[in-house]
Amino acid sequence: MGFRDPNSVPIKDFYEPSNNINYLATFINDQNAKVRQEFLKHIKIWTCDLDDKYDHHGRIVPYILSGLFDSDDVVRSTALETITEIGRQIEIEKEKEFRESKQYAIDAAWNW
């Protein structure tokens, strides 16, 4: 993924039109359900196996949420599996932060 600051406009854009295509959005909106399913499987790999996965969560999670409202049942279940796996990994990696709320079944932040 290439990142460009939204406040930085290239000088070329002032003189001739430019088209920016969001290819990830074209995959999640593809007509074929198998394409959408495979795209969500790749997103699962990106969000669970990459070393710098937390840097990309903000950009990738909206596509997973779009998959939750898909018309195909398999795509919806794939998106739900992806979210479940992300949550499971976060609980494992940040176990100390979640331990008290899991042991006592209360959220300490809401009790203050």
Side-chain angles (χ1 to χ4, degrees):
M1 282 188 231
F3 175 74
R4 184 172 74 178
D5 184 20
N7 296 324
S8 173
V9 179
I11 294 178
K12 181 181 176 185
D13 287 350
F14 290 110
Y15 298 106
E16 57 187 59
S18 65
N19 296 326
N20 296 327
I21 299 172
N22 185 346
Y23 291 104
L24 298 180
T26 58
F27 285 135
I28 199 66
N29 291 320
D30 197 271
Q31 295 293 323
N32 191 348
K34 188 69 176 169
V35 172
R36 296 190 305 265
Q37 180 185 2
E38 289 298 319
F39 175 63
L40 287 171
K41 286 181 182 178
H42 284 284
I43 283 182
K44 184 177 181 179
I45 294 169
W46 295 342
T47 55
C48 294
D49 297 338
L50 286 179
D51 291 335
D52 57 348
K53 58 189 165 206
Y54 293 115
D55 295 339
H56 303 294
H57 276 192
R59 295 184 189 108
I60 293 177
V61 168
Y63 300 112
I64 302 170
L65 294 176
S66 295
L68 287 175
F69 299 100
D70 198 87
S71 59
D72 188 46
D73 292 336
V74 177
V75 175
R76 284 196 305 259
S77 66
T78 305
L80 187 61
E81 289 172 10
T82 303
I83 289 177
T84 305
E85 183 62 31
I86 291 170
R88 192 175 298 129
Q89 276 196 345
I90 289 175
E91 279 189 13
I92 291 170
E93 291 174 3
K94 299 182 179 187
E95 185 216 349
K96 290 181 182 178
E97 297 175 20
F98 292 109
R99 182 180 299 152
E100 183 175 317
S101 62
K102 287 176 86 174
Q103 285 178 347
Y104 299 123
I106 58 170
D107 188 11
W110 288 96
N111 293 333
W112 294 103

